[in-house]
Every structure is written in structure tokens, then in C-alpha cells.
Amino acid sequence: MTSHNMTWISYPSKSQPFTSQEEIEAFIASQNIISRLMHCYIAFFVPTGLTAGICILIIFIKNYLQNKRQSLDLLLLHFTISNIIMIFLSFTVITRPDYLTATHLACSVLSFFFNFGYFNSQYVFILTLLTLLLERFPPGTALCKATQRPILCAGFVLTFCLSLTEAVLVGTDNYQLEARCQLDPLFAWPEYEIFKFTFGFGIPSLLQILCCTVLLAKEAPAGAPALQQHVRTYPAVYAISATIFICRLFYNIMLLFRTTLKLQRSIGTTKNELVMNIAEIVLFCESCASLVVILCFHKPCKDEVLKVIQKCRRRTSANNHLEISETATTHRRGSQ
């Protein structure tokens, strides 16, 4: 791996001279689009995602203290924490259509934590799919429970190593220089995006497709539940699987396209920059949506939410009855 001089690269919207009226209008339009998307994300997705994430943490901790644990709860807890980390780091888009200004070192640190949440959520979810696959086939249940925690610990170490490698691939030079910073830095070496695509999307997606293919194609033993019943029991996992694949596919395609421009020593156009920013916000929206899906469709979470709603209805009806009785008493006294 050789060092790259990436000081030449910059964002098209910050460096290109706009000479024609069409270029100026295209620049203004792209700035308006990304600004509106950012405000929509901050106003709707962030509060919803954080609220769902906090509720999930409270429910899982409560169930843990009451010894009401399911086999998937530990994995979904890790998945939830990873997505909450990504949501907090997504606050870096508040400055759009401008960019956060930071030193190369500070940007590398932000990138490390972002990639840690990114890789961790991806591989924990693969382990979740594997756990469901083994639970559908009874002979694998004991093996699943016996190896779940060691595999989870090994995955945590793997995630840390992958994130650290990505931090190195951001670049080992010019740490003191200031630059416009994204969580996937523009000035990172081309190997950064290639490595992230390979280990953050390519391999996990193949494993995800393999798990789903075995689930659909392999005939389960006589004692195992039917496929439709199995999917209905765990709808949250399969909904998240589709969401992750679609959103991260779009994002990783744009990362590879950005790598192609780097290898051609081109900064691209304002349209390329706009689509990359859209892909980044779509990735953050996926984190928020996944947490909402867990809260609404994972059975322990859904049951707790329904209990809270029922308690609120009971309190509301009780208050209404009290108000009616007080009003009736007042009318009686007045008539006397």
C-alpha cells in the first residue's frame, strides 16, 4: 500500500468557477435540494429514530432485569446501539449544503466511529439472520446458543480492526491540515472506498443472500415451523434485511463511483456531489427506519408498546369517568 497525495481533490461546489447561467442555476438547484433533504432528515427522521432507539434500550434492559430474554434480544440490542451511534454522528450533515471544517486527524477519528457503527450493525445483523436460520432447524439450536456470545465477541474485535484499517486508509499524511469533512472523507485514499465496499457491503450482502436462500430453499425438519409462520414470527428482521440492502447498495455504488473519479484524478460535477450527499442521507435514514421497525414489529418491543397504550387509554377513560361524575354531582347540588 503506497501513500497517495490527495491534496488536489476538492468538492466541485467549492472549487469550480461557474461561467454560464446554466451552471449557476444547476449549482443553486443542487444546493436547495440537499438543504431541504437535510432539514427533512433532521426534523422527522432523527427524532423518530432516537425516540425508537431509546424505547428499545429501555425495553431490553427491563426485560433483562426481569429475566424475560429472547435469543435475539442481545443481537438486536447491539444492532440498536450501533444505529444510535450512526444517528448521533449524522448530525455532521446539519451544515449542508456546506461541510464540517476539521483537521484531517479529527476527520479520521469521526470516520473511525462512523465505520465502527456501520460495520458493527452490518455484521451483527448477519449473525441475527444466522441465528434465525439455526432456530428454524432444531438440530442447530443448541449450537446456536452455545456459540452466540463467542461469535459476537469475535465480531466485535473484527469490527474494531476493520474500522481501524479504514481510519488508516483515510491517509497518514497532513494530519494538521484543515479540510471539509464528511464521515467518509473525500480526501481518503481510493483504497478506503474499495475496502469499505468489500468488507462493509460485498461480503455481508453475499452472506445475507446466502442465509435467505437457504431459508427459502432448504426443507425444514418435520418439527420445525412452516416458512410462513417463521417469517410472521420475526417480521422485523426480514423487513430490516430488505431496507439495509437497498439503502446500502445505493450508498456503496456512489462510493465506488467516487473512487473511479479519484483514480481518474477528476473532482466530478456538482450533480455527482449532490447524488453522493443524497446517498449519505439515505444511509442515515436507514438507521432511523431500522429502529422504528424493531420497536413496532419485534414482539417483545411491540408487546411493551401495546401495554403502554392500553394503560394510557385506561387512565384517560378513568379521568373521563371522574369528570362526568363530578359534573353530575355539581348539577345535583345546583338543582337542590
Side-chain angles (χ1 to χ4, degrees), residues 140-186:
T141 303
L143 176 65
C144 172
K145 291 182 178 179
T147 59
Q148 187 181 77
R149 290 196 177 185
I151 291 177
L152 191 59
C153 293
F156 184 84
V157 174
L158 174 64
T159 299
F160 180 83
C161 294
L162 291 174
S163 304
L164 190 61
T165 303
E166 285 287 75
V168 172
L169 292 175
V170 170
T172 55
D173 302 325
N174 305 317
Y175 275 152
Q176 74 284 0
L177 295 180
E178 286 195 346
R180 294 182 175 92
C181 179
Q182 278 182 288
L183 293 176
D184 281 320
L186 180 67

Side-chain angles (χ1 to χ4, degrees), residues 35-56:
S35 179
R36 290 175 182 176
L37 286 175
M38 180 273 295
H39 282 97
C40 179
Y41 169 72
I42 295 296
F44 298 104
F45 283 90
V46 170
T48 305
L50 287 179
T51 302
I54 292 170
C55 291
I56 293 168

Side-chain angles (χ1 to χ4, degrees), residues 92-301:
T92 54
V93 304
I94 289 178
T95 56
R96 303 296 164 82
D98 204 349
Y99 296 90
L100 182 70
T101 301
T103 63
H104 283 213
L105 178 60
C107 201
S108 297
V109 172
L110 283 174
S111 179
F112 169 80
F113 286 108
F114 170 65
N115 284 313
F116 182 82
Y118 181 89
F119 286 124
N120 194 53
S121 64
Q122 186 75 66
Y123 284 100
V124 165
F125 188 75
I126 295 300
L127 185 55
T128 303
L129 285 176
L130 182 61
T131 302
L132 288 186
L133 188 64
L134 293 176
E135 283 189 355
R136 176 165 160 73
F137 302 97
T141 303
L143 176 65
C144 172
K145 291 182 178 179
T147 59
Q148 187 181 77
R149 290 196 177 185
I151 291 177
L152 191 59
C153 293
F156 184 84
V157 174
L158 174 64
T159 299
F160 180 83
C161 294
L162 291 174
S163 304
L164 190 61
T165 303
E166 285 287 75
V168 172
L169 292 175
V170 170
T172 55
D173 302 325
N174 305 317
Y175 275 152
Q176 74 284 0
L177 295 180
E178 286 195 346
R180 294 182 175 92
C181 179
Q182 278 182 288
L183 293 176
D184 281 320
L186 180 67
F187 55 82
W189 298 348
E191 289 88 349
Y192 175 95
E193 284 98 353
I194 296 172
F195 185 89
K196 184 161 187 173
F197 176 84
T198 303
F199 292 97
F201 180 76
I203 294 175
S205 294
L206 288 176
L207 294 174
Q208 183 176 331
I209 293 170
L210 180 62
C211 287
C212 293
T213 302
V214 172
L215 179 70
L216 295 173
K218 187 176 180 179
E219 185 178 354
L227 178 60
Q228 291 182 352
Q229 182 182 352
H230 178 79
V231 173
R232 288 174 184 172
T233 306
Y234 306 104
V237 176
Y238 298 105
I240 292 171
S241 178
T243 304
I244 286 178
F245 181 79
I246 293 171
C247 294
R248 298 198 178 192
L249 175 63
F250 176 42
Y251 182 72
N252 280 272
I253 287 174
M254 293 312 303
L255 274 183
L256 288 182
F257 181 75
R258 194 172 77 173
T259 306
T260 304
L261 293 177
K262 288 181 181 180
L263 295 175
Q264 296 172 352
R265 295 189 68 84
S266 170
I267 63 173
T269 64
T270 53
K271 184 178 179 180
N272 302 143
E273 182 182 351
L274 169 64
V275 178
M276 185 65 214
N277 281 320
I278 293 174
E280 186 180 34
I281 292 179
V282 168
L283 178 68
F284 295 141
C285 290
E286 175 260 307
S287 296
C288 300
S290 296
L291 296 179
V292 173
V293 169
I294 292 174
L295 183 64
C296 295
F297 295 103
H298 184 52
K299 192 176 185 306
C301 298

